[in-house]
């Protein structure tokens, strides 16, 4: 495939009933053509991408969505995306969709690609993204986003500082290991989430916040730069206030 280079790479589509379609072994040419026309690019060896769908129609719609992008540069990385992912595109509003990135295709410092190896990225089911870059750069690092999470636009979720900070003896002090975002988290517009952070389920990260430490408890409103808890005992709902009031506190209304 034109956009997949290297040896031992896999892209697997998962459908209900445990049906799996491997798109790089030549056994499913129609799906291979759809994947080849998508914005999925892999440079390296032994990488695997698992994409889960509720139907073939859902798979075609996501793979043909200009706003859904995957880039992997490096070796032995894993990426898994749950079903019912919604990716929004509205350039007039700055909604550029979802960019899942492991490694860098070109580093001006090195004048060459900067690969990342042995990383894992996991996006849960029923996630909505309007405009986010989710990025791993350092070997062995990982990011997980829980199901039913909603991510606005202008959002960066980076488990890396891209460059090194050291102590006066030259020892790195900013090693990144993980970012973990729990289930049903609302990440507001222009939020930045840094390395080694855990965000508990059912939290709201307010507009423009910079999150550099963990907030592992639930039902918090977290706001600010740096982010802090400004309110506890909160819940959130994806409906507008008018829709919410019209239908009452009926959780069955929400998918």
């Amino acid at each position: 495939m034109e956009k997949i280079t290297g040896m031992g790479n896999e892209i697997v589509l998962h459908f209900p009933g445990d049906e799996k379609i491997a798109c790089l072994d030549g056994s499913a040419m129609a799906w291979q053509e759809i994947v080849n026309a998508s914005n999925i690019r892999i440079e390296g060896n032994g990488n695997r991408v698992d994409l889960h769908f509720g139907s073939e129609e859902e798979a075609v719609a996501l793979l043909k969505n200009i706003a859904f992008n995957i880039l992997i540069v490096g070796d032995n990385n894993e990426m898994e995306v749950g079903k019912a992912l919604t990716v929004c595109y509205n350039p007039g509003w700055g909604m550029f969709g979802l960019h899942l990135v492991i490694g860098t295709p070109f580093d001006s410092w090195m004048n060459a690609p900067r690969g990342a190896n042995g990383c894992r990225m996991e996006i849960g089911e029923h996630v909505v993204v309007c405009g986010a870059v989710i990025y791993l750069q350092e070997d062995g690092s990982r990011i997980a986003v829980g199901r039913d999470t909603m991510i606005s636009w202008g959002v960066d979720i980076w488990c890396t500082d891209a460059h090194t900070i050291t102590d006066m003896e030259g020892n790195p002090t900013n090693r990144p290991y993980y970012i973990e975002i729990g289930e049903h988290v609302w990440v507001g517009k222009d939020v930045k989430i840094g390395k080694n952070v855990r965000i508990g389920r059912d939290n709201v990260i307010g507009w423009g916040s910079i999150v550099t430490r963990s907030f592992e408890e639930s039902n918090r409103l977290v706001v600010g730069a740096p982010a802090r808890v400004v309110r506890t005992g909160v819940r959130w709902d994806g409906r507008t206030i008018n829709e919410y009031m019209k239908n009452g506190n009926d959780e069955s209304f929400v998918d």
Side-chain angles (χ1 to χ4, degrees), residues 128-176:
V128 177
V129 184
C130 292
V133 176
I134 302 179
Y135 180 38
L136 289 168
Q137 179 56 74
E138 314 303 335
D139 292 353
S141 55
R142 56 188 172 84
I143 292 177
V145 177
R147 62 173 291 146
D148 297 321
T149 287
M150 183 169 67
I151 300 174
S152 188
W153 64 97
V155 174
D156 291 304
I157 302 172
W158 285 37
C159 190
T160 178
D161 293 328
H163 306 291
T164 307
I165 299 173
T166 72
D167 60 23
M168 297 308 293
E169 285 71 45
N171 302 302
T173 61
N174 63 328
R175 292 188 182 276

Side-chain angles (χ1 to χ4, degrees), residues 52-223:
H52 297 259
F53 302 102
S55 66
E56 291 189 357
E57 292 77 12
E58 180 187 326
V60 171
L62 183 65
L63 293 169
K64 289 187 174 182
N65 187 342
I66 190 175
F68 178 63
N69 297 267
I70 290 176
L71 171 64
I72 298 175
V73 181
D75 301 330
N76 304 314
N77 297 292
E78 298 178 351
M79 188 177 291
E80 187 158 7
V81 178
K83 66 182 180 180
L85 173 66
T86 299
V87 180
C88 306
Y89 182 68
N90 186 332
W93 279 38
M95 295 182 182
F96 57 81
L98 176 60
H99 293 251
L100 303 176
V101 183
I102 300 176
T104 303
F106 182 77
D107 182 351
S108 58
W109 288 79
M110 301 171 58
N111 198 31
R114 186 183 353 165
N117 306 311
C119 299
R120 178 169 176 81
M121 187 179 293
E122 183 176 350
I123 309 299
E125 298 179 357
H126 299 278
V127 170
V128 177
V129 184
C130 292
V133 176
I134 302 179
Y135 180 38
L136 289 168
Q137 179 56 74
E138 314 303 335
D139 292 353
S141 55
R142 56 188 172 84
I143 292 177
V145 177
R147 62 173 291 146
D148 297 321
T149 287
M150 183 169 67
I151 300 174
S152 188
W153 64 97
V155 174
D156 291 304
I157 302 172
W158 285 37
C159 190
T160 178
D161 293 328
H163 306 291
T164 307
I165 299 173
T166 72
D167 60 23
M168 297 308 293
E169 285 71 45
N171 302 302
T173 61
N174 63 328
R175 292 188 182 276
Y177 299 103
Y178 59 83
I179 294 175
E180 297 176 2
I181 299 174
E183 296 182 359
H184 198 248
V185 172
W186 178 9
V187 180
K189 186 176 183 295
D190 294 323
V191 166
K192 314 301 176 186
I193 300 175
K195 64 187 185 301
N196 304 335
V197 160
R198 291 188 174 96
I199 298 173
R201 61 177 297 155
D202 296 309
N203 284 319
V204 178
I205 311 300
W207 189 327
S209 297
I210 299 178
V211 183
T212 57
R213 66 181 182 89
S214 294
F215 297 90
E216 298 190 46
E217 296 179 297
S218 299
N219 304 110
R220 267 53 178 171
L221 174 59
V222 178
V223 180

